[in-house]
Amino acid sequence: MISFECARLLRGAGLAWAPVSGDMFVIESPELASEVFTVSDMTIEAHTFDTGTILGFNGTTEWALDSVALENALWLPREDQMRELLGDSFRSLTMVGSVFRVEIAYAGGLAHFDTADNAADAYARALLDLMTA
């Protein structure tokens, strides 16, 4: 899973989120900072209104949550979602020793993005580089 730090960097760079079933997110509040939620048609649905999108919590009495505004949630994109966002620039994901490496076509050449933590963060760093170039 992508680190919260990388997810915040992507959001700060302008990565837009249109919630769909299966998306994971955290609520940016100290009380819920360690809880990862999943959008599901059964329990957490994205409701789009003229005023914005909210995430509606259906049947989650243990949290006493009705909804949370999208801007108060931090999307944790999956590897496949980031690979799709990288588009035709994506070349490979490999292991170099114990380090995950994503390679993309970039500025007429190839660029590598390594992370020892996980593949999702390597994807995130490559995507962040493309978004901020």
Side-chain angles (χ1 to χ4, degrees):
M1 179 171 57
I2 188 173
S3 68
F4 295 174
E5 173 191 351
C6 283
R8 284 187 191 99
L9 289 171
L10 287 171
R11 180 180 60 190
L15 182 61
W17 180 31
V20 295
S21 188
D23 282 355
M24 294 183 299
F25 67 95
V26 293
I27 298 172
E28 298 266 77
S29 75
E31 301 84 25
L32 298 172
S34 64
E35 297 293 327
V36 176
F37 296 92
T38 302
V39 176
S40 168
D41 295 336
M42 297 290 292
T43 57
I44 302 172
E45 292 180 276
H47 303 281
T48 304
F49 300 99
D50 293 340
T51 56
T53 300
I54 63 166
L55 299 169
F57 290 75
N58 303 322
T60 55
T61 56
E62 67 273 22
W63 291 108
L65 289 172
D66 289 328
S67 63
V68 63
L70 193 63
E71 58 267 14
N72 295 327
L74 175 64
W75 178 32
L76 306 173
R78 298 182 314 267
E79 290 178 35
D80 64 300
Q81 291 170 314
M82 290 184 282
R83 209 170 26 251
E84 184 177 324
L85 290 166
L86 286 169
D88 292 338
S89 67
F90 176 71
R91 293 295 177 260
S92 65
L93 169 68
T94 57
M95 289 284 297
V96 179
S98 63
V99 175
F100 289 93
R101 171 178 283 174
V102 168
E103 182 178 87
I104 61 171
Y106 182 73
L110 295 176
H112 302 120
F113 301 88
D114 298 346
T115 178
D117 297 333
N118 60 58
D121 281 354
Y123 280 115
R125 295 194 185 284
L127 183 57
L128 184 62
D129 195 70
L130 281 180
M131 292 176 67
T132 58

